Amino acid sequence: MAYDLEEQEQLASLKSWWSQYGNLVTWLLIIALAAYAAWTGWNTYQRNQATQAAQLYEELQKGVTAKDNQKVQRAAGDIASRFGKTAYAQMGAFAAAKSAFEAGDLKAAKTHLQWVIDHGSDEYKAIAKIRLAGVLLDEKAYDDGLKLLSGDFPEQFAGAVADRKGDILVAQSKIEEARAAYKTALDKTNEQNPARQLIQLKLDAIGGAAKAAA
C-alpha cells in the first residue's frame, strides 16, 4: 500500500507539472523538430543546387574548350539566374567574361565582371574589379578604371591592384605616377610570384631606375 500511495503521489505531481508546463514543452518540442526539419531540408536543397550548378558549369567548360562563345554565354547566364548563390556562378561569370573578351564583345565581358562585383564574395569581387579595370583600359576609359581600383581590397591583392593602376597611368602618359605604382606592385608582390618579372619589365620600360641614377 505504501508503494501504491507513493506512486499515486508521483502521478499527481506529474499531472500538476504537466498541467502547468505541458503546453510550453509541447511547443518547444514542435519548434525544435521544425528547426531540425528546416535545417535538414536546407542542406538537401543546397546539395541539389550545387550538383545542378556543377553540371551546368561542366557544360560551360565544354563550350570554353570548343571556343563556342555562345554556349559559354548561355551556360553562364543559366548558372547565374538559377544558382546565383553558388561559387559556380562566380566562376562561370569569369569564364564567360574571358570568352566574351576574346570574341571582342567587351560589353558582355563587362556585364559578367560587374555581376561578380555585385554578387560575389570579397576575393571574387577583388579579382573582378582588377579584370574589369583591364577591360576599361582597353576601352580607354582610364578614369573609370582608376576609380574602380581606388576602393578597399583584401591585402593579398595589393600588388595586382597597383600593377593595374600602373598600366592605366602609363596609358595616360603619367609616367611618374606609373613608376610609383609599379614600385608599389613590386613591394607588395611575393618574391616567388612569377608576376614580379613582368612588373619589373614594365618598370624598366618607363625608366624605373632613371630617377635613382640621376
Side-chain angles (χ1 to χ4, degrees):
M1 290 293 292
Y3 179 79
D4 290 341
L5 181 61
E6 182 180 351
E7 192 175 58
Q8 289 176 11
E9 289 176 348
Q10 290 177 345
L11 183 59
S13 177
L14 178 60
K15 287 181 178 179
S16 176
W17 183 89
W18 185 259
S19 176
Q20 185 173 359
Y21 299 108
N23 284 339
L24 176 61
V25 171
T26 300
W27 278 109
L28 289 175
L29 182 60
I30 291 172
I31 291 171
L33 290 173
Y36 177 75
W39 179 77
T40 303
W42 174 250
N43 283 339
T44 301
Y45 171 77
Q46 289 287 74
R47 286 195 297 271
N48 289 338
Q49 290 277 292
T51 299
Q52 294 178 56
Q55 292 171 347
L56 271 176
Y57 186 73
E58 185 177 350
E59 288 301 309
L60 182 149
Q61 287 299 317
K62 289 179 181 178
V64 170
T65 301
K67 298 189 182 302
D68 186 344
N69 182 54
Q70 289 187 350
K71 184 174 183 177
V72 172
Q73 300 304 315
R74 184 168 58 251
D78 287 344
I79 298 173
S81 62
R82 296 170 57 190
F83 312 108
K85 294 186 181 298
T86 67
Y88 290 107
Q90 298 171 72
M91 294 188 296
F94 280 134
K98 183 175 184 294
S99 179
F101 182 83
E102 292 175 347
D105 189 350
L106 298 187
K107 182 178 179 180
K110 290 193 297 182
T111 297
H112 288 297
L113 293 172
Q114 187 63 52
W115 186 90
V116 178
I117 293 171
D118 294 337
H119 300 91
S121 63
D122 288 344
E123 290 192 355
Y124 281 120
K125 286 180 180 179
I127 296 170
K129 286 181 178 181
I130 294 168
R131 293 186 182 179
L132 180 53
V135 177
L136 293 171
L137 170 60
D138 282 357
E139 290 187 325
K140 303 186 187 306
Y142 306 131
D143 291 339
D144 290 339
L146 290 174
K147 183 179 179 180
L148 193 63
L149 298 172
S150 64
D152 293 331
F153 285 82
E155 180 60 28
Q156 65 266 35
F157 295 99
V161 170
D163 181 35
R164 183 70 81 210
K165 285 181 179 178
D167 295 342
I168 295 174
L169 291 166
V170 167
Q172 290 181 304
S173 298
K174 297 179 179 179
I175 303 304
E176 286 296 326
E177 293 178 53
R179 188 178 292 123
Y182 286 140
K183 287 180 178 179
T184 297
L186 283 175
D187 289 341
K188 297 293 185 179
T189 302
N190 189 286
E191 292 185 1
Q192 305 303 317
N193 191 329
R196 283 182 60 89
Q197 297 180 6
L198 179 57
I199 297 170
Q200 185 65 60
L201 285 173
K202 290 188 283 189
L203 180 58
D204 292 343
I206 59 173
K211 189 171 183 180

